């Protein structure tokens, strides 16, 4: 803040000069006192100058009424601070930063903490630079966490690699709030040099270190927290949440398109510990945003589940600001940034108007500013599979006694199971319509290594054709599942032609597709376009290809290569046992 801006703010607060804006008569949520009172919100430029009682202004010899160059009657509405998403991957929405801002702001979101490790895994720091430039084209305040694990594990090929020495310059960028989710919890807990170098760098620069530690408990959790990891969004149970809070960590309650943790984790919230909970979506697709909302939907779910409404608001505002060490937002109070959301009440949280930095940016579901797009050419052309062929999809099993990656209902976890399957004379898997077991493959797409790994997946339900995607967390090689090698190969080749995205093949022909030319992860189209395409893809996957009705066909498949989430996952180097952190065989 410049000196002139500060002087004006003080003068407006003192009533010496007119305010730029006064939002009059709203029921204002005070996240500090826990009260809700009818107030006028007085704004100078980007900042809140005062929050005053309209009923006493000018009465009984008091101060004269404040004047504003613009005044808004907010009677009948409730004002809450701008909502904050504490952990999100923009790339998983399949739209660019400019577009995610257009989608989220009308839901009352003023700020997000984004971890761009998807695009950085594909394009390296060039991808971070693109995301940073694109983020300037939206009113949404986008802060980035520098990806800590590129690649996520040493057991796969990614498009780039970031060691501590590569992070020295970017971690100092003003947009970088800290080090992104440290998925290599094994490296942290064992004191591996590479992990420690990154942690020490972040500490030296005064930056936060985000966490990712599913299932970690006891001494291992002590070791992880002792390294200075400040938060975790991978709690599966209320006990997980309590364990992390007792160690001084924040718990990020996740409710996304694939992972639904809120109803379980809210069981751990008490008046004593509620300040240690923040809200996040992690991965949220346009279909979910357009139909359910964003952090506003978290608030609805929390209050419907019995959480006090002001406590819920705190989780989505001041708790997040304090979690990330920000003193200028998260509250409607003097000196805070004028990020304000008007809602109908503290139950439905239907958003009426949104101000970010004192500017009206959304009204009744409409994003008001013009959306400008950033050039995507630096992050195009990311599919390099010149050495791929259908022959590489063949399995050479010695017998039909196999282990399967079995999908756990409702999420992205898998469990190890065993089965008897049919094989041909060459040992290649033969799909059997009587079994819910299909072939899955991961094809390296960054360096044209020719790597192709295959395994067997149970519970996905595909009964015809194939699906291929260039979205496969976190290294984002190509992942494909199908009932025949020729259709899987056809889907992969079609994917290359459209520069990445999603392809569905049936009867040897492409029957649905969604091109994603931005690093093979995002489209340059609108969220509504993505929603329409995804709905068609989901419908086709379920109705024509037979994917199980309780499986989200896209989000579920793209997590089947994430080798940090139990139990079995498939990378381009082979079938990986996350529990043991080592490769295993398809044969028993």
């Amino acid at each position: 803040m410049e000196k002139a801006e500060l002087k004006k703010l003080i003068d407006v607060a003192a009533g010496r000069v007119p305010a730029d804006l006064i939002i009059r008569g709203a029921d204002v949520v005070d996240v500090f006192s826990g009260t809700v009172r009818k107030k006028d919100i007085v704004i100078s430029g980007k900042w809140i100058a005062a929050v005053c009682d309209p009923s006493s202004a000018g009465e009984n010899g008091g101060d004269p009424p404040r004047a504003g160059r613009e005044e808004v009657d907010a009677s009948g509405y409730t004002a809450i601070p701008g909502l904050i998403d504490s952990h999100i991957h923009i790339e998983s929405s399949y739209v660019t930063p400019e577009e995610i801002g257009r989608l989220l702001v009308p839901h009352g979101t003023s700020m997000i903490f984004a971890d761009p490790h998807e695009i950085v895994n594909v394009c390296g720091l060039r991808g971070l630079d693109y995301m940073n430039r694109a983020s300037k084209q939206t009113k949404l305040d986008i802060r980035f966490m520098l990806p800590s694990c590129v690649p996520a594990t040493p057991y796969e090929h990614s498009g780039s690699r970031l060691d501590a020495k590569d992070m020295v310059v970017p971690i100092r960028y003003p947009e970088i709030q800290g080090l992104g989710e440290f998925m290599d919890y094994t490296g942290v807990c064992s004191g591996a040099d590479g992990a420690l170098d990154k942690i020490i760098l972040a500490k030296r620069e005064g930056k936060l270190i985000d966490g990712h530690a599913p299932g970690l408990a006891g001494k291992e959790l002590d070791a992880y927290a002792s390294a200075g990891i400040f938060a975790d969004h991978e709690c599966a149970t209320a006990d997980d949440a309590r364990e992390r809070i007792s160690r001084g960590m924040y718990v990020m309650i996740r409710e996304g398109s694939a992972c639904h943790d809120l109803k379980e984790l809210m069981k751990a919230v008490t008046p004593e510990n509620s300040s240690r909970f923040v809200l996040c979506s992690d991965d949220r697709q346009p279909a979910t945003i357009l139909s359910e909302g964003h952090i506003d939907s978290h608030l609805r779910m929390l209050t419907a589940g019995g959480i006090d409404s002001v406590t819920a608001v705190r989780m989505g505002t001041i708790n997040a600001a304090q979690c990330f060490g920000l003193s200028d937002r998260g509250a409607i109070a003097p000196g805070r940034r004028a990020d304000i959301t008007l809602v109908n009440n503290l139950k439905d949280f239907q958003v009426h108007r949104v101000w970010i930095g004192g500017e009206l940016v959304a009204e009744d579901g409409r994003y008001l500013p013009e959306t400008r797009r950033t050039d995507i050419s630096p992050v195009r052309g990311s599919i390099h599979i010149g050495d791929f062929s259908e022959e590489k999809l063949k399995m050479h099993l010695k017998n039909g006694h196999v282990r399967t990656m079995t999908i756990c209902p409702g999420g992205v976890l898998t469990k190890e199971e065993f089965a008897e399957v049919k094989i041909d004379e060459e040992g290649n898997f033969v799909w059997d319509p009587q079994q819910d077991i299909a072939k899955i493959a991961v094809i390296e797409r960054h360096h044209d290594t020719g790597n192709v790994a295959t395994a067997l997946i149970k519970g996905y339900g595909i009964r015809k054709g194939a699906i291929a995607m260039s979205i496969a967390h976190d290294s984002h090689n190509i992942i494909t599942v199908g009932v025949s090698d020729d259709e899987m190969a056809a889907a992969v080749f079609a994917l290359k032609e459209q520069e990445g995205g999603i392809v569905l093949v049936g009867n040897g022909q492409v029957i649905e597709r969604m091109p994603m030319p931005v690093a093979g992860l995002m489209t340059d189209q609108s969220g509504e376009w993505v929603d329409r395409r995804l709905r068609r893809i989901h419908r086709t996957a379920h109705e024509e290809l037979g994917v199980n009705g309780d499986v989200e066909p896209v989000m579920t498949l793209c997590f089947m290569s994430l080798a940090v989430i139990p139990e079995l996952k498939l990378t381009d180097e082979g079938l990986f046992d996350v529990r043991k952190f080592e490769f295993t065989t398809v044969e028993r």
Side-chain angles (χ1 to χ4, degrees):
M1 186 186 301
E2 298 294 331
K3 183 177 180 179
E5 187 180 11
L6 177 59
K7 183 178 187 309
K8 177 187 171 187
L9 174 62
I10 294 171
D11 286 343
V12 170
R16 290 190 289 266
V17 299
D20 293 314
L21 169 67
I22 300 179
I23 302 171
R24 293 201 180 274
D27 293 325
V28 177
V29 174
D30 183 340
V31 296
F32 299 117
S33 69
T35 59
V36 182
R37 296 177 180 172
K38 188 173 291 294
K39 296 284 185 179
D40 285 352
I41 306 170
V42 182
I43 296 170
S44 172
K46 298 179 179 180
W47 308 98
I48 298 171
V51 182
C52 57
D53 187 346
S55 63
S56 63
E59 297 180 3
N60 302 320
D63 293 335
R66 294 175 184 269
R69 294 186 176 89
E70 179 186 357
E71 298 189 5
V72 172
D73 182 3
S75 301
Y77 291 99
T78 300
I80 64 175
L83 299 173
I84 300 172
D85 190 328
S86 295
H87 176 74
I88 188 172
H89 302 287
I90 296 172
E91 305 96 311
S92 293
S93 68
Y94 309 142
V95 298
T96 59
E98 311 96 317
E99 185 64 15
I100 200 67
R102 190 185 72 83
L103 292 176
L104 298 187
V105 167
H107 289 283
T109 304
S110 61
M111 185 179 206
I112 64 174
F113 291 91
D115 187 340
H117 71 205
E118 323 294 358
I119 195 168
V120 173
N121 264 286
V122 175
C123 301
L125 293 177
R126 175 167 44 93
L128 175 63
D129 178 65
Y130 162 76
M131 297 293 280
N132 196 12
R133 286 186 289 106
S135 72
K136 308 303 182 189
Q137 304 299 325
T138 174
K139 296 298 181 179
L140 180 66
D141 188 356
I142 301 178
R143 302 292 179 91
F144 290 104
M145 304 295 283
L146 182 63
S148 65
C149 299
V150 179
T153 74
Y155 309 108
E156 57 194 327
H157 287 84
S158 68
S160 183
R161 181 178 185 88
L162 286 189
D163 295 319
K165 60 181 174 56
D166 305 307
M167 298 177 172
V168 171
V169 172
I171 202 167
R172 296 171 181 164
Y173 293 170
E175 299 82 6
I176 297 295
Q177 200 69 28
L179 202 56
E181 54 179 312
F182 222 111
M183 293 177 288
D184 184 12
Y185 52 82
T186 300
V188 174
C189 295
S190 66
D193 284 345
L196 298 188
D197 288 343
K198 296 173 184 177
I199 290 170
I200 289 171
L201 173 65
K203 287 176 176 287
R204 188 173 67 228
E205 297 298 329
K207 298 297 179 79
L208 299 168
I209 308 164
D210 195 8
H212 173 116
L216 218 58
K219 292 180 180 179
E220 285 191 320
L221 184 57
D222 287 334
Y224 195 65
S226 73
I229 312 292
F230 79 100
D232 191 5
H233 62 276
E234 288 290 345
C235 296
T237 68
D239 284 342
D240 287 345
R242 296 184 190 102
E243 286 285 292
R244 280 147 181 77
I245 287 173
S246 71
R247 288 163 171 82
M249 298 172 72
Y250 280 88
V251 169
M252 296 178 173
I253 296 181
R254 172 175 58 189
E255 188 70 18
S257 293
C259 297
H260 306 283
D261 301 324
L262 187 145
K263 289 183 178 179
E264 171 61 25
L265 297 185
M266 67 185 290
K267 297 175 185 176
V269 179
T270 68
E272 293 77 18
N273 69 16
S274 62
S275 65
R276 306 302 292 182
F277 287 91
V278 298
L279 305 176
C280 79
S281 58
D282 198 2
D283 301 301
R284 203 161 180 90
Q285 294 178 350
T288 311
I289 298 168
L290 293 169
S291 63
E292 300 177 19
H294 186 220
I295 302 300
D296 57 326
S297 73
H298 292 55
L299 302 186
R300 286 189 285 274
M301 292 179 67
L302 287 167
T303 54
I307 299 293
D308 171 72
S309 59
V310 174
T311 298
V313 170
R314 283 168 164 163
M315 291 182 191
T317 58
I318 190 63
N319 289 8
Q322 291 175 343
C323 173
F324 285 92
L326 299 177
S327 60
D328 64 345
R329 62 201 69 203
I332 299 176
R336 304 273 170 160
R337 203 170 84 141
D339 294 349
I340 300 164
T341 295
L342 282 187
V343 298
N344 63 336
N345 56 54
L346 293 178
K347 176 184 176 183
D348 301 323
F349 292 98
Q350 295 299 323
V351 176
H352 173 48
R353 285 182 174 177
V354 182
W355 287 266
I356 295 180
E359 178 183 352
L360 181 64
V361 291
E363 186 170 15
D364 295 329
R366 292 181 296 113
Y367 182 71
L368 300 179
E370 179 185 358
T371 302
R372 300 178 182 273
R373 303 285 183 178
T374 301
D375 178 24
I376 68 170
S377 58
V379 288
R380 295 192 78 148
S382 63
I383 308 297
H384 307 287
I385 54 169
D387 196 29
F388 172 73
S389 67
E390 179 184 332
E391 181 70 22
K392 291 195 171 187
L393 293 171
K394 286 186 177 180
M395 304 178 80
H396 300 282
L397 303 174
K398 297 176 182 177
N399 57 64
H401 309 299
V402 298
R403 54 172 46 87
T404 64
M405 298 167 50
T406 300
I407 297 171
C408 298
V412 297
L413 299 176
T414 63
K415 59 182 178 180
E416 179 186 53
E417 290 190 342
F418 300 98
E420 297 287 332
V421 299
K422 296 179 180 178
I423 60 175
D424 62 19
E425 61 278 3
E426 295 180 347
N428 193 26
F429 167 74
V430 177
W431 179 74
D432 182 353
Q434 301 303 313
Q435 291 182 303
D436 183 5
I437 298 175
K439 182 182 290 187
I440 183 170
V442 173
I443 299 111
E444 195 277 327
R445 68 144 164 138
H446 307 293
H447 306 291
D448 203 4
T449 64
N451 274 22
V452 177
T454 55
L456 297 173
I457 189 167
K458 182 179 179 181
Y460 192 73
I462 191 166
R463 301 183 60 81
K464 178 182 177 182
I467 300 174
M469 307 190 305
S470 56
I471 312 140
H473 297 284
D474 273 333
S475 289
H476 297 291
N477 289 301
I478 291 172
I479 191 165
T480 179
V481 62
V483 302
S484 68
D485 292 351
D486 60 333
E487 289 182 301
M488 291 171 71
V492 170
F493 285 123
L495 202 62
K496 179 181 179 181
E497 291 177 5
Q498 67 181 37
E499 296 188 279
I502 305 169
V503 169
L504 276 61
V505 166
N507 296 321
Q509 302 295 320
V510 173
I511 56 176
E512 197 55 78
R513 69 198 323 158
M514 183 163 74
M516 296 183 178
V518 185
L521 301 173
M522 294 172 280
T523 175
D524 54 353
Q525 303 295 319
S526 71
E528 289 80 4
W529 182 89
V530 171
D531 180 34
R532 291 191 298 270
R533 284 293 180 109
L534 277 178
R535 288 182 186 277
R536 283 164 36 186
I537 285 169
H538 290 171
R539 184 171 59 250
T540 301
H542 289 304
E543 296 179 3
E544 296 191 36
L545 301 189
V547 173
N548 287 338
D550 59 352
V551 170
E552 204 279 31
V554 173
M555 191 69 81
T556 301
L557 182 58
C558 72
F559 275 101
M560 292 301 103
S561 60
L562 184 53
V564 293
I565 295 183
E567 293 180 349
L568 297 180
K569 290 295 187 287
L570 181 67
T571 79
D572 69 300
E573 295 187 8
L575 186 61
F576 192 75
D577 189 327
V578 181
R579 300 161 300 179
K580 301 176 181 178
F581 246 63
E582 62 184 30
F583 288 104
T584 188
T585 59
V586 176
E587 293 100 340
R588 292 180 61 174

